[in-house]
mmCIF file of all heavy atoms in Angstrom:
data_model
loop_
_atom_site.group_PDB
_atom_site.id
_atom_site.type_symbol
_atom_site.label_atom_id
_atom_site.label_comp_id
_atom_site.label_asym_id
_atom_site.label_seq_id
_atom_site.Cartn_x
_atom_site.Cartn_y
_atom_site.Cartn_z
ATOM 1 N N SER A 193 20.888 -16.348 -6.397
ATOM 2 C CA SER A 193 19.690 -16.095 -7.187
ATOM 3 C C SER A 193 18.441 -16.197 -6.320
ATOM 4 O O SER A 193 18.476 -16.760 -5.232
ATOM 5 C CB SER A 193 19.597 -17.094 -8.329
ATOM 6 O OG SER A 193 19.285 -18.370 -7.812
ATOM 7 N N ARG A 194 17.349 -15.673 -6.814
ATOM 8 C CA ARG A 194 16.067 -15.784 -6.104
ATOM 9 C C ARG A 194 15.729 -17.249 -5.865
ATOM 10 O O ARG A 194 15.217 -17.639 -4.838
ATOM 11 C CB ARG A 194 14.932 -15.153 -6.943
ATOM 12 C CG ARG A 194 15.072 -13.684 -7.174
ATOM 13 C CD ARG A 194 14.836 -12.894 -5.925
ATOM 14 N NE ARG A 194 15.883 -11.885 -5.765
ATOM 15 C CZ ARG A 194 15.741 -10.591 -5.971
ATOM 16 N NH1 ARG A 194 14.577 -10.124 -6.325
ATOM 17 N NH2 ARG A 194 16.742 -9.756 -5.805
ATOM 18 N N SER A 209 9.572 -13.992 -4.731
ATOM 19 C CA SER A 209 9.411 -12.812 -5.570
ATOM 20 C C SER A 209 8.331 -11.895 -4.997
ATOM 21 O O SER A 209 8.522 -10.692 -4.841
ATOM 22 C CB SER A 209 9.033 -13.244 -6.984
ATOM 23 O OG SER A 209 9.072 -12.159 -7.858
ATOM 24 N N ARG A 210 7.228 -12.489 -4.625
ATOM 25 C CA ARG A 210 6.121 -11.702 -4.061
ATOM 26 C C ARG A 210 6.514 -11.077 -2.733
ATOM 27 O O ARG A 210 6.159 -9.936 -2.444
ATOM 28 C CB ARG A 210 4.893 -12.593 -3.891
ATOM 29 C CG ARG A 210 4.145 -12.793 -5.194
ATOM 30 C CD ARG A 210 2.822 -13.496 -4.945
ATOM 31 N NE ARG A 210 2.905 -14.904 -5.289
ATOM 32 C CZ ARG A 210 2.500 -15.398 -6.458
ATOM 33 N NH1 ARG A 210 1.989 -14.599 -7.368
ATOM 34 N NH2 ARG A 210 2.606 -16.678 -6.704
ATOM 35 N N ARG A 213 8.398 -8.034 -3.333
ATOM 36 C CA ARG A 213 7.513 -6.956 -3.763
ATOM 37 C C ARG A 213 6.809 -6.343 -2.555
ATOM 38 O O ARG A 213 6.731 -5.135 -2.410
ATOM 39 C CB ARG A 213 6.485 -7.478 -4.773
ATOM 40 C CG ARG A 213 5.583 -6.363 -5.250
ATOM 41 C CD ARG A 213 4.591 -6.822 -6.279
ATOM 42 N NE ARG A 213 4.050 -8.148 -5.974
ATOM 43 C CZ ARG A 213 2.889 -8.567 -6.430
ATOM 44 N NH1 ARG A 213 2.151 -7.786 -7.170
ATOM 45 N NH2 ARG A 213 2.471 -9.783 -6.159
ATOM 46 N N ARG A 226 18.813 -6.176 -8.831
ATOM 47 C CA ARG A 226 18.316 -7.417 -8.214
ATOM 48 C C ARG A 226 19.271 -8.018 -7.199
ATOM 49 O O ARG A 226 18.888 -8.838 -6.377
ATOM 50 C CB ARG A 226 18.037 -8.462 -9.296
ATOM 51 C CG ARG A 226 16.680 -8.287 -9.918
ATOM 52 C CD ARG A 226 16.501 -9.228 -11.078
ATOM 53 N NE ARG A 226 15.226 -8.972 -11.747
ATOM 54 C CZ ARG A 226 15.009 -9.285 -13.013
ATOM 55 N NH1 ARG A 226 15.969 -9.813 -13.730
ATOM 56 N NH2 ARG A 226 13.827 -9.039 -13.545
ATOM 57 N N ASN A 245 3.535 -17.160 13.911
ATOM 58 C CA ASN A 245 2.349 -17.932 14.189
ATOM 59 C C ASN A 245 2.047 -18.035 15.688
ATOM 60 O O ASN A 245 2.779 -18.685 16.415
ATOM 61 C CB ASN A 245 2.597 -19.326 13.616
ATOM 62 C CG ASN A 245 1.443 -20.253 13.847
ATOM 63 O OD1 ASN A 245 0.598 -19.992 14.702
ATOM 64 N ND2 ASN A 245 1.393 -21.306 13.100
ATOM 65 N N PRO A 246 0.935 -17.471 16.164
ATOM 66 C CA PRO A 246 0.549 -17.532 17.567
ATOM 67 C C PRO A 246 0.337 -18.963 18.057
ATOM 68 O O PRO A 246 0.599 -19.254 19.225
ATOM 69 C CB PRO A 246 -0.766 -16.761 17.627
ATOM 70 C CG PRO A 246 -1.069 -16.295 16.257
ATOM 71 C CD PRO A 246 0.020 -16.676 15.353
ATOM 72 N N THR A 247 -0.128 -19.843 17.187
ATOM 73 C CA THR A 247 -0.388 -21.223 17.577
ATOM 74 C C THR A 247 0.883 -21.934 18.015
ATOM 75 O O THR A 247 0.858 -22.873 18.785
ATOM 76 C CB THR A 247 -1.008 -22.018 16.400
ATOM 77 O OG1 THR A 247 -2.088 -21.278 15.890
ATOM 78 C CG2 THR A 247 -1.479 -23.370 16.856
ATOM 79 P P DA D 8 18.991 -19.522 -14.844
ATOM 80 O OP1 DA D 8 20.189 -19.791 -14.017
ATOM 81 O OP2 DA D 8 17.904 -20.519 -14.969
ATOM 82 O "O5'" DA D 8 18.359 -18.164 -14.342
ATOM 83 C "C5'" DA D 8 19.095 -16.954 -14.482
ATOM 84 C "C4'" DA D 8 18.208 -15.795 -14.084
ATOM 85 O "O4'" DA D 8 17.185 -15.614 -15.090
ATOM 86 C "C3'" DA D 8 17.472 -16.026 -12.762
ATOM 87 O "O3'" DA D 8 17.624 -14.851 -11.985
ATOM 88 C "C2'" DA D 8 16.020 -16.264 -13.180
ATOM 89 C "C1'" DA D 8 15.931 -15.471 -14.474
ATOM 90 N N9 DA D 8 14.953 -15.954 -15.452
ATOM 91 C C8 DA D 8 14.777 -17.226 -15.909
ATOM 92 N N7 DA D 8 13.820 -17.336 -16.816
ATOM 93 C C5 DA D 8 13.347 -16.042 -16.953
ATOM 94 C C6 DA D 8 12.341 -15.480 -17.763
ATOM 95 N N6 DA D 8 11.594 -16.187 -18.611
ATOM 96 N N1 DA D 8 12.126 -14.143 -17.656
ATOM 97 C C2 DA D 8 12.880 -13.435 -16.798
ATOM 98 N N3 DA D 8 13.856 -13.843 -15.993
ATOM 99 C C4 DA D 8 14.041 -15.171 -16.124
ATOM 100 P P DT D 9 17.075 -14.757 -10.509
ATOM 101 O OP1 DT D 9 17.950 -13.836 -9.768
ATOM 102 O OP2 DT D 9 16.838 -16.121 -10.029
ATOM 103 O "O5'" DT D 9 15.686 -14.030 -10.715
ATOM 104 C "C5'" DT D 9 15.689 -12.758 -11.338
ATOM 105 C "C4'" DT D 9 14.287 -12.322 -11.646
ATOM 106 O "O4'" DT D 9 13.694 -13.174 -12.631
ATOM 107 C "C3'" DT D 9 13.321 -12.358 -10.453
ATOM 108 O "O3'" DT D 9 13.026 -10.999 -10.161
ATOM 109 C "C2'" DT D 9 12.106 -13.125 -10.967
ATOM 110 C "C1'" DT D 9 12.311 -13.054 -12.473
ATOM 111 N N1 DT D 9 11.686 -14.118 -13.302
ATOM 112 C C2 DT D 9 10.703 -13.763 -14.208
ATOM 113 O O2 DT D 9 10.311 -12.625 -14.354
ATOM 114 N N3 DT D 9 10.191 -14.808 -14.942
ATOM 115 C C4 DT D 9 10.556 -16.136 -14.858
ATOM 116 O O4 DT D 9 10.030 -16.979 -15.574
ATOM 117 C C5 DT D 9 11.593 -16.439 -13.898
ATOM 118 C C7 DT D 9 12.069 -17.849 -13.732
ATOM 119 C C6 DT D 9 12.109 -15.423 -13.171
ATOM 120 P P DT D 10 12.102 -10.623 -8.945
ATOM 121 O OP1 DT D 10 12.565 -9.308 -8.468
ATOM 122 O OP2 DT D 10 11.949 -11.751 -8.008
ATOM 123 O "O5'" DT D 10 10.727 -10.402 -9.691
ATOM 124 C "C5'" DT D 10 10.632 -9.365 -10.650
ATOM 125 C "C4'" DT D 10 9.305 -9.461 -11.366
ATOM 126 O "O4'" DT D 10 9.176 -10.753 -11.980
ATOM 127 C "C3'" DT D 10 8.068 -9.311 -10.480
ATOM 128 O "O3'" DT D 10 7.356 -8.162 -10.913
ATOM 129 C "C2'" DT D 10 7.282 -10.601 -10.684
ATOM 130 C "C1'" DT D 10 7.812 -11.085 -12.021
ATOM 131 N N1 DT D 10 7.743 -12.549 -12.267
ATOM 132 C C2 DT D 10 6.983 -13.026 -13.292
ATOM 133 O O2 DT D 10 6.327 -12.320 -14.032
ATOM 134 N N3 DT D 10 7.006 -14.391 -13.449
ATOM 135 C C4 DT D 10 7.714 -15.300 -12.678
ATOM 136 O O4 DT D 10 7.673 -16.498 -12.908
ATOM 137 C C5 DT D 10 8.505 -14.727 -11.616
ATOM 138 C C7 DT D 10 9.309 -15.601 -10.721
ATOM 139 C C6 DT D 10 8.480 -13.394 -11.457
ATOM 140 P P DT D 11 6.183 -7.568 -10.021
ATOM 141 O OP1 DT D 11 6.075 -6.122 -10.343
ATOM 142 O OP2 DT D 11 6.373 -8.008 -8.639
ATOM 143 O "O5'" DT D 11 4.905 -8.309 -10.581
ATOM 144 C "C5'" DT D 11 4.655 -8.318 -11.981
ATOM 145 C "C4'" DT D 11 3.562 -9.311 -12.318
ATOM 146 O "O4'" DT D 11 4.087 -10.644 -12.366
ATOM 147 C "C3'" DT D 11 2.392 -9.372 -11.338
ATOM 148 O "O3'" DT D 11 1.276 -8.776 -11.974
ATOM 149 C "C2'" DT D 11 2.183 -10.864 -11.071
ATOM 150 C "C1'" DT D 11 2.994 -11.510 -12.175
ATOM 151 N N1 DT D 11 3.554 -12.844 -11.846
ATOM 152 C C2 DT D 11 3.235 -13.917 -12.639
ATOM 153 O O2 DT D 11 2.505 -13.836 -13.599
ATOM 154 N N3 DT D 11 3.807 -15.102 -12.269
ATOM 155 C C4 DT D 11 4.647 -15.315 -11.185
ATOM 156 O O4 DT D 11 5.105 -16.425 -10.952
ATOM 157 C C5 DT D 11 4.945 -14.142 -10.399
ATOM 158 C C7 DT D 11 5.842 -14.253 -9.215
ATOM 159 C C6 DT D 11 4.387 -12.986 -10.754
ATOM 160 P P DG D 12 -0.124 -8.598 -11.202
ATOM 161 O OP1 DG D 12 -0.699 -7.325 -11.688
ATOM 162 O OP2 DG D 12 0.073 -8.834 -9.766
ATOM 163 O "O5'" DG D 12 -0.995 -9.800 -11.802
ATOM 164 C "C5'" DG D 12 -0.841 -10.180 -13.157
ATOM 165 C "C4'" DG D 12 -1.797 -11.320 -13.526
ATOM 166 O "O4'" DG D 12 -1.074 -12.572 -13.429
ATOM 167 C "C3'" DG D 12 -3.024 -11.456 -12.623
ATOM 168 O "O3'" DG D 12 -4.153 -11.739 -13.432
ATOM 169 C "C2'" DG D 12 -2.674 -12.632 -11.716
ATOM 170 C "C1'" DG D 12 -1.758 -13.473 -12.594
ATOM 171 N N9 DG D 12 -0.755 -14.227 -11.859
ATOM 172 C C8 DG D 12 0.123 -13.743 -10.920
ATOM 173 N N7 DG D 12 0.928 -14.654 -10.442
ATOM 174 C C5 DG D 12 0.553 -15.821 -11.107
ATOM 175 C C6 DG D 12 1.064 -17.141 -11.011
ATOM 176 O O6 DG D 12 1.980 -17.548 -10.302
ATOM 177 N N1 DG D 12 0.396 -18.006 -11.858
ATOM 178 C C2 DG D 12 -0.624 -17.665 -12.697
ATOM 179 N N2 DG D 12 -1.147 -18.633 -13.428
ATOM 180 N N3 DG D 12 -1.120 -16.451 -12.807
ATOM 181 C C4 DG D 12 -0.476 -15.573 -11.979
ATOM 182 P P DA D 13 -5.587 -11.927 -12.821
ATOM 183 O OP1 DA D 13 -6.514 -11.385 -13.839
ATOM 184 O OP2 DA D 13 -5.648 -11.447 -11.415
ATOM 185 O "O5'" DA D 13 -5.722 -13.526 -12.806
ATOM 186 C "C5'" DA D 13 -5.522 -14.262 -14.022
ATOM 187 C "C4'" DA D 13 -5.947 -15.708 -13.806
ATOM 188 O "O4'" DA D 13 -4.912 -16.399 -13.071
ATOM 189 C "C3'" DA D 13 -7.227 -15.885 -12.990
ATOM 190 O "O3'" DA D 13 -7.918 -17.025 -13.506
ATOM 191 C "C2'" DA D 13 -6.717 -16.112 -11.584
ATOM 192 C "C1'" DA D 13 -5.439 -16.902 -11.844
ATOM 193 N N9 DA D 13 -4.385 -16.744 -10.836
ATOM 194 C C8 DA D 13 -4.090 -15.619 -10.108
ATOM 195 N N7 DA D 13 -3.068 -15.771 -9.291
ATOM 196 C C5 DA D 13 -2.672 -17.087 -9.487
ATOM 197 C C6 DA D 13 -1.647 -17.859 -8.933
ATOM 198 N N6 DA D 13 -0.802 -17.397 -8.016
ATOM 199 N N1 DA D 13 -1.527 -19.132 -9.351
ATOM 200 C C2 DA D 13 -2.387 -19.596 -10.273
ATOM 201 N N3 DA D 13 -3.389 -18.961 -10.870
ATOM 202 C C4 DA D 13 -3.477 -17.695 -10.433
ATOM 203 P P DG D 19 0.230 -24.844 9.565
ATOM 204 O OP1 DG D 19 1.660 -24.636 9.853
ATOM 205 O OP2 DG D 19 -0.507 -25.980 10.155
ATOM 206 O "O5'" DG D 19 -0.541 -23.501 9.950
ATOM 207 C "C5'" DG D 19 -0.116 -22.287 9.358
ATOM 208 C "C4'" DG D 19 -1.130 -21.190 9.661
ATOM 209 O "O4'" DG D 19 -2.410 -21.558 9.114
ATOM 210 C "C3'" DG D 19 -1.357 -20.959 11.159
ATOM 211 O "O3'" DG D 19 -1.509 -19.564 11.381
ATOM 212 C "C2'" DG D 19 -2.640 -21.737 11.444
ATOM 213 C "C1'" DG D 19 -3.394 -21.610 10.132
ATOM 214 N N9 DG D 19 -4.269 -22.742 9.821
ATOM 215 C C8 DG D 19 -3.917 -24.064 9.722
ATOM 216 N N7 DG D 19 -4.908 -24.845 9.386
ATOM 217 C C5 DG D 19 -5.986 -23.981 9.267
ATOM 218 C C6 DG D 19 -7.336 -24.254 8.928
ATOM 219 O O6 DG D 19 -7.862 -25.329 8.645
ATOM 220 N N1 DG D 19 -8.115 -23.091 8.915
ATOM 221 C C2 DG D 19 -7.634 -21.827 9.199
ATOM 222 N N2 DG D 19 -8.518 -20.840 9.147
ATOM 223 N N3 DG D 19 -6.378 -21.568 9.514
ATOM 224 C C4 DG D 19 -5.607 -22.691 9.535
ATOM 225 P P DT D 20 -1.546 -19.055 12.937
ATOM 226 O OP1 DT D 20 -0.642 -17.911 12.985
ATOM 227 O OP2 DT D 20 -1.343 -20.187 13.856
ATOM 228 O "O5'" DT D 20 -3.034 -18.525 13.148
ATOM 229 C "C5'" DT D 20 -4.005 -18.905 12.178
ATOM 230 C "C4'" DT D 20 -5.408 -18.503 12.673
ATOM 231 O "O4'" DT D 20 -6.337 -19.506 12.210
ATOM 232 C "C3'" DT D 20 -5.565 -18.447 14.193
ATOM 233 O "O3'" DT D 20 -6.480 -17.418 14.508
ATOM 234 C "C2'" DT D 20 -6.106 -19.825 14.532
ATOM 235 C "C1'" DT D 20 -6.958 -20.144 13.312
ATOM 236 N N1 DT D 20 -7.059 -21.591 12.961
ATOM 237 C C2 DT D 20 -8.242 -22.062 12.450
ATOM 238 O O2 DT D 20 -9.208 -21.362 12.274
ATOM 239 N N3 DT D 20 -8.247 -23.401 12.141
ATOM 240 C C4 DT D 20 -7.200 -24.292 12.300
ATOM 241 O O4 DT D 20 -7.342 -25.469 11.984
ATOM 242 C C5 DT D 20 -5.993 -23.726 12.841
ATOM 243 C C7 DT D 20 -4.803 -24.603 13.043
ATOM 244 C C6 DT D 20 -5.973 -22.416 13.146
ATOM 245 P P DC D 21 -6.670 -16.994 16.090
ATOM 246 O OP1 DC D 21 -6.778 -15.526 16.112
ATOM 247 O OP2 DC D 21 -5.694 -17.701 16.940
ATOM 248 O "O5'" DC D 21 -8.120 -17.586 16.403
ATOM 249 C "C5'" DC D 21 -9.162 -17.352 15.441
ATOM 250 C "C4'" DC D 21 -10.412 -18.102 15.841
ATOM 251 O "O4'" DC D 21 -10.339 -19.466 15.377
ATOM 252 C "C3'" DC D 21 -10.649 -18.176 17.356
ATOM 253 O "O3'" DC D 21 -12.019 -17.907 17.589
ATOM 254 C "C2'" DC D 21 -10.241 -19.604 17.714
ATOM 255 C "C1'" DC D 21 -10.616 -20.358 16.434
ATOM 256 N N1 DC D 21 -9.852 -21.608 16.171
ATOM 257 C C2 DC D 21 -10.488 -22.672 15.517
ATOM 258 O O2 DC D 21 -11.669 -22.538 15.178
ATOM 259 N N3 DC D 21 -9.800 -23.799 15.275
ATOM 260 C C4 DC D 21 -8.517 -23.902 15.661
ATOM 261 N N4 DC D 21 -7.872 -25.042 15.397
ATOM 262 C C5 DC D 21 -7.840 -22.837 16.329
ATOM 263 C C6 DC D 21 -8.543 -21.709 16.562
#
Side-chain angles (χ1 to χ4, degrees):
Chain A
S193 71
R194 296 289 134 106
S209 189
R210 280 189 258 263
R213 181 178 39 156
R226 276 174 185 156
N245 179 342
T247 310

